[in-house]
Amino acid sequence: MRRITRIATVGVMSAALALSVTACGESSTSSGASSDSKADTTAIAYDIGGRGDQSFNDAAYAGLARAEKELGVKGTEAEPSDGEADADKVQRLTALARAGNNPVIGVGFSYAPAIKKVAPKFPKITFGIIDDASVTGDNVANIVFNEEQGSYLAGVAAAKVTKTKKVGFIGGVETPLIKKFEAGFVQGVTDTDSSVKVVPQYLTQPPNFDGFSKPDLGKAAAQGQLDKGADVIYSAAGLAGSGAIEAVSKAGKWNIGVDSDQYAQEGLAAYKESILTSATKDVEDSVFNLIKSVKDDKPESGEVRYGLDKDGVGLATSNAAFTKMTDVIAAVDKAKKEIIDGKITVRTAP
C-alpha cells in the first residue's frame, strides 16, 4: 500500500501533487486516464489526526487494507496537514483523482467543501465522504452512521457500572456530529438511571480542531472529570481520546472507547484493561463496501446509512470483563432491541 504523508500544503501545484500520490518509480496519469478506472487503484484521504489515531482513521484504513487483500486493489493513503484549509483538501482530492484512483474517499465531514468542488470535475470517478450527507451528486456516496444509537448503548453500560453516580463525556470538537454522540450517551444514561449525572466537556470549538488531534487535551480533560468524581468516561475525540484513555486507565476507572474497538487497538494495549467497551461505527465495512461496489461496476451513490438495524453501530465485546457483567449485557441488549423496534427514539442533539 502506498502511503503519502501530507501531500497537500498551501502553494503546492496540483500537477506536482498528481506525481506525489503515485508509488515510487511510477508515473502519474492524466485526468482523462482516470475515467476508466474501476477500483483497480483506490485512495483514502485521512481526517485530522491521520492514520495511527487508534480510532476513526484507523477504521477507514482497515477497510482499505481489507480491500487490497480480498479484492486485489492497490491502495493509496493521503495524510492531512496541520491547520490546513479547504484549498489543501481540494488539491489533495484532485491529485488522487488525476492519479486514476477510483473511488476516492474523504474520511470525515471536513472534506465536504472539497468534494463539492472536485467531484463534478471527475464525473466517472466515485467520491465517498464519511460522516456527511450535505454534498450530493451522481458520483458522490454519503456514508453516514446513527452514532447516537451506539452512544445510547454506551450510556446504558455507563449507568449500570458507575459506582459514584457520575460519568463523563469528552467531545473532541463541538460540532453537530460530536453532539450526536453526546446526545445519545446522555439519553442512554438518564433512561437507565436518572440519578446518574453526566459531565460533558468539549476540548475545542470550531474552527480550532485540535480537539481531534492533541492527546494532551484529552488527558487534561479526563483528569478534570476524574477529579470531579467521574468513574466512567466516554471519549469521542479521535487521537485526543487516547490521552483521555491513558488518564482514566492510570486512575483505575472505566473508559468507553469510540469508533473502533479500542480494546483491540495495538497502540492502546497498555490501557486495554480499562476499556470496558467501545461505541463502534463500522467504518471498515463501509469503506470496503464502497470500494467493492466500484470494482463490481455498481458504484454506491447517495446516502448509505449504517445503524443498529444493520450492525453499522454497536458496542464492542472484546473485553471479557464486560461480557461477564451479565446484568449490563442484558440491559444493553434490551435497549438495542427497543431501538431497532422503534420503541426508543434516540435524540440527535442534546
Side-chain angles (χ1 to χ4, degrees), residues 4 13 21-22 40 73 77 120 132 207 222 227 291 315 345:
I4 307 304
M13 297 299 291
V21 296
T22 58
D40 293 323
V73 302
E77 305 165 76
D132 180 85
D227 292 343
I291 295 170
L315 281 191
T345 300

Side-chain angles (χ1 to χ4, degrees), residues 25-333:
E26 297 177 359
S27 61
S28 66
T29 59
S30 68
S31 59
S34 66
S35 62
D36 295 325
S37 178
K38 292 183 180 179
D40 293 323
T41 61
T42 188
I44 56 176
Y46 291 120
D47 200 2
I48 299 163
R51 176 142 73 91
D53 66 351
Q54 313 298 324
S55 185
F56 183 52
N57 288 299
D58 282 2
Y61 165 72
L64 179 63
R66 180 179 160 201
E68 285 200 312
K69 181 178 180 180
E70 297 183 19
L71 304 178
V73 302
K74 294 180 180 179
T76 294
E77 305 165 76
E79 293 278 6
S81 299
D82 293 337
E84 68 183 17
D86 288 341
D88 299 296
K89 292 182 174 64
V90 169
Q91 290 181 339
R92 180 177 303 122
L93 297 183
T94 298
L96 292 170
R98 283 181 174 167
N101 295 290
N102 189 20
V104 173
I105 304 172
V107 183
F109 62 83
S110 63
Y111 278 95
I115 286 181
K116 185 176 182 179
K117 289 185 178 181
V118 177
K121 298 177 182 179
F122 297 89
K124 294 186 179 181
I125 288 179
T126 294
F127 289 81
I129 181 167
I130 302 175
D131 285 347
D132 180 85
S134 68
V135 179
T136 60
D138 292 340
N139 63 329
V140 176
N142 306 95
I143 300 169
V144 291
F145 299 84
N146 292 118
E147 295 92 352
E148 72 282 359
Q149 295 178 348
S151 295
Y152 185 99
L153 301 185
V156 172
K160 296 290 288 185
V161 303
T162 181
K163 295 179 180 179
T164 63
K165 298 292 185 177
K166 187 175 290 186
V167 302
F169 171 81
I170 296 176
V173 183
E174 192 168 1
T175 64
L177 174 65
I178 303 303
K179 291 184 82 67
K180 286 175 66 180
F181 288 86
E182 179 193 354
F185 182 67
V186 171
Q187 185 180 347
V189 169
T190 55
D191 283 358
T192 304
D193 186 344
S194 60
S195 70
V196 177
K197 181 180 179 181
V198 182
V199 181
Q201 182 174 350
Y202 287 87
L203 302 180
T204 61
Q205 301 287 326
N208 180 357
F209 285 84
D210 286 351
F212 288 140
S213 63
K214 306 288 187 182
D216 286 350
L217 295 178
K219 186 175 182 178
Q223 190 58 58
Q225 293 191 339
L226 292 165
D227 292 343
K228 294 176 182 177
D231 62 350
V232 185
I233 295 180
Y234 174 37
S235 303
L239 183 60
S242 64
I245 287 173
E246 178 185 355
V248 173
S249 175
K250 290 182 177 179
K253 306 302 181 183
W254 284 120
N255 279 293
I256 295 179
V258 76
D259 291 343
S260 296
D261 179 1
Q262 295 196 295
Y263 178 88
Q265 293 296 309
E266 185 175 343
L268 297 172
Y271 316 118
K272 64 187 294 184
E273 298 307 327
S274 74
I275 303 174
L276 181 70
T277 182
S278 297
T280 58
K281 292 166 57 173
D282 201 353
V283 176
E284 175 182 340
D285 266 9
S286 72
V287 169
F288 176 85
N289 291 342
L290 178 57
I291 295 170
K292 187 177 187 300
S293 76
V294 175
K295 188 171 179 64
D296 292 344
D297 204 21
K298 298 177 181 178
E300 293 178 336
S301 64
E303 183 179 292
V304 184
R305 181 169 292 278
Y306 292 83
L308 275 180
D309 58 336
K310 297 179 181 178
D311 289 324
V313 297
L315 281 191
T317 56
S318 297
N319 191 338
F322 180 55
T323 58
K324 290 177 181 177
M325 299 175 181
T326 54
D327 60 328
V328 179
I329 296 296
V332 167
D333 288 345

